[in-house]
Amino acid sequence: SSHYACAKRKTAPSSSLFLPSKMVYKRFAEVGRVALVNSGPQEGKLCILVDFIDQRRVLVDGPLTGVARQALNLNNLSLTDFKVPLPPRARTGIIRKRLEKSDVLKNWKKTAWAQTLERRLIRRSLSDFDRFKLKNAKQEKSRIVRAAVNKLKKEQK
């Protein structure tokens, strides 16, 4: 009979189970989402998701960034925080107009992510002599900073 009483007792569920949790992800694969191509001939270029082919592949287009309308694997894309409002299966002309109207490309260049990619590209293109000049400039900067720090230390004593 005690088994029956326990089953009939209505206890309040643990409140921690039903608390609204914070959403972990903020970037979703959706029509109009701006993405960065990670591999292939268009590596490093921005594109916009136009339509979904299946769970792994999407139709992308990048009329202002040099990415032709094509199917790409989602594994080869990195989703950005930017989104352009687009109708489903929008044509290239509509995408071009919406991209020009929104400041997505300007805002992308201001992000730390884009600036890091730009720095990598510049560093990769340095010649041997450029790398030598960069090393010497860093050493000179280090000497100046070290001298200033030592001067401040002496003043404090």
Side-chain angles (χ1 to χ4, degrees):
S1 65
S2 66
H3 180 282
Y4 179 74
C6 287
K8 281 209 66 137
R9 185 176 4 148
K10 293 185 178 178
T11 57
S14 173
S15 61
S16 64
L17 293 175
F18 295 100
L19 287 175
S21 60
K22 268 190 165 178
M23 183 62 78
V24 178
Y25 301 108
K26 293 182 177 75
R27 300 174 185 160
F28 297 103
E30 54 190 327
V31 172
R33 177 65 64 183
V34 179
L36 180 73
V37 182
N38 287 332
S39 62
Q42 275 88 22
E43 183 177 355
K45 294 181 182 177
L46 290 179
C47 62
I48 295 180
L49 305 187
V50 179
D51 197 10
F52 290 86
I53 298 169
D54 56 31
Q55 283 189 329
R56 292 190 173 273
R57 294 182 306 148
V58 289
L59 182 66
V60 298
D61 200 354
L64 299 180
T65 58
V67 177
R69 193 177 184 100
Q70 60 186 306
L72 288 178
N73 193 322
L74 275 170
N75 294 339
N76 297 335
L77 298 173
S78 291
L79 303 177
T80 67
D81 290 334
F82 301 107
K83 188 173 181 237
V84 177
L86 288 178
R89 294 178 295 284
R91 293 186 175 184
T92 304
I94 293 172
I95 295 170
R96 178 180 285 116
K97 287 177 189 171
R98 298 274 174 98
L99 258 178
E100 287 169 349
K101 192 165 46 169
S102 70
D103 291 333
V104 168
L105 298 178
K106 282 185 203 169
N107 292 339
W108 165 252
K109 288 181 181 175
K110 293 177 187 175
T111 62
W113 187 3
Q115 291 169 359
T116 302
L117 292 174
E118 182 106 13
R119 274 194 303 274
R120 275 189 205 157
L121 189 66
I122 290 169
R123 288 262 170 107
R124 200 176 293 148
S125 66
L126 288 178
S127 69
D128 187 38
F129 186 58
D130 290 333
R131 282 191 295 275
F132 173 74
K133 290 191 293 188
L134 180 65
K135 181 192 78 157
N136 285 344
K138 281 183 176 180
Q139 287 176 346
E140 187 62 33
K141 176 186 165 195
S142 180
R143 281 188 204 107
I144 293 168
V145 170
R146 194 178 324 116
V149 167
N150 289 338
K151 183 179 177 185
L152 287 173
K153 281 183 180 177
K154 279 187 177 180
E155 288 175 3
Q156 285 181 349
K157 286 184 181 180

